[in-house]
Amino acid sequence: MNQQMMRDVARLRELAEQGRRLPLLGGRILILWGAAIALASLVQGAVLMGWIDWPPMAFAGLWAVAMGGAAILGRTGFFAQTRKAGGADLANRLERAVWSTGGAFLALTSIAIFVNAMLRMQAGNGGEFFRMFAMMPPAMFGVYALALRTAAVASDQPSLTPYVWLSLLFAVASVALGWSAAQFVLMGLGALVVSVLPGMALIRLEGRPVG
């Protein structure tokens, strides 16, 4: 048994004896990514509604800047979790693992759609393939539902459960709206609800055990 496992076992024993759980430390990350997704989604919705005169190809740059900026900021000291007390706790490590895997899935899917569409356009029949991006909002809310549920169970914080159901509701609603301006407006508002709001709640819990 290595030293990290021994520390985990000792910490879990301590928490069990005290009847407490450490709070999750991902609140700032949730706010950061929720704000970035909301901004990009609402701008894309404005473009689709004709309020902003950008060509469809600008969507790729918009999302690249928003997501790339969030990824860079997420590694700065203000957002880093592992430097805080409890950052190496099992629940927080599970939270980071689920979010990073879900984020990788969304990023790779987006890149695959974009590359496929570009290749089809070069062949003269790929313009409509960009509409495949309509699958990204429900996929994103699905990832949020899974990650929030995992975090709620791992940290024994039932206060996150309502956001799980809201994520699923937004996923269904975004499917119904399809490739439209309203779909991306909904995505932006949904990101504020299921990412920024729980992030603010988690920040309030930082620094003290809960449960």
Side-chain angles (χ1 to χ4, degrees):
M1 182 179 295
N2 60 36
Q3 291 184 348
Q4 182 61 52
M5 292 179 64
M6 293 176 66
R7 286 195 296 269
D8 286 342
V9 171
R11 187 59 178 140
L12 289 172
R13 183 184 298 114
E14 178 185 350
L15 290 172
E17 291 172 352
Q18 296 176 357
R20 301 185 296 180
R21 295 289 189 275
L22 284 175
L24 296 174
L25 300 175
R28 289 172 176 79
I29 295 294
L30 279 174
I31 293 175
L32 171 65
W33 282 97
I37 292 170
L39 175 63
S41 300
L42 293 174
V43 170
Q44 180 162 342
V47 173
L48 291 174
M49 286 187 287
W51 294 356
I52 301 177
D53 187 18
W54 286 359
M57 287 296 295
F59 295 155
L62 167 67
W63 282 95
V65 170
M67 299 300 97
I72 293 172
L73 286 175
R75 294 185 177 277
T76 63
F78 180 74
F79 294 100
Q81 300 176 10
T82 53
R83 298 179 184 178
K84 305 174 188 175
D89 183 70
L90 181 60
N92 280 290
R93 298 209 315 271
L94 282 173
E95 181 193 32
R96 289 195 297 272
V98 173
W99 282 116
S100 61
T101 303
F105 160 71
L106 294 173
L108 291 174
T109 302
S110 298
I111 292 171
I113 293 173
F114 178 76
V115 171
N116 202 332
M118 292 298 295
L119 292 175
R120 288 169 179 254
M121 285 184 65
Q122 291 181 0
N125 60 353
E128 291 298 308
F129 197 80
F130 278 103
R131 292 179 178 269
M132 286 290 291
F133 276 111
M135 68 181 285
M136 296 310 299
M140 183 202 77
F141 287 119
V143 167
Y144 264 88
L146 177 61
L148 288 169
R149 178 60 176 164
T150 301
V153 172
S155 62
D156 193 22
Q157 294 192 44
S159 61
L160 293 176
T161 301
Y163 298 105
V164 176
W165 294 108
L166 284 170
S167 297
L168 294 174
L169 180 62
F170 279 118
V172 173
S174 63
V175 170
L177 291 175
W179 176 259
S180 66
Q183 185 192 42
F184 288 95
V185 171
L186 177 74
M187 184 180 183
L189 296 177
L192 295 176
V193 172
V194 304
S195 192
V196 174
L197 291 184
M200 295 171 63
L202 290 178
I203 287 178
R204 287 196 295 269
L205 292 174
E206 285 184 10
R208 65 178 187 273
V210 297

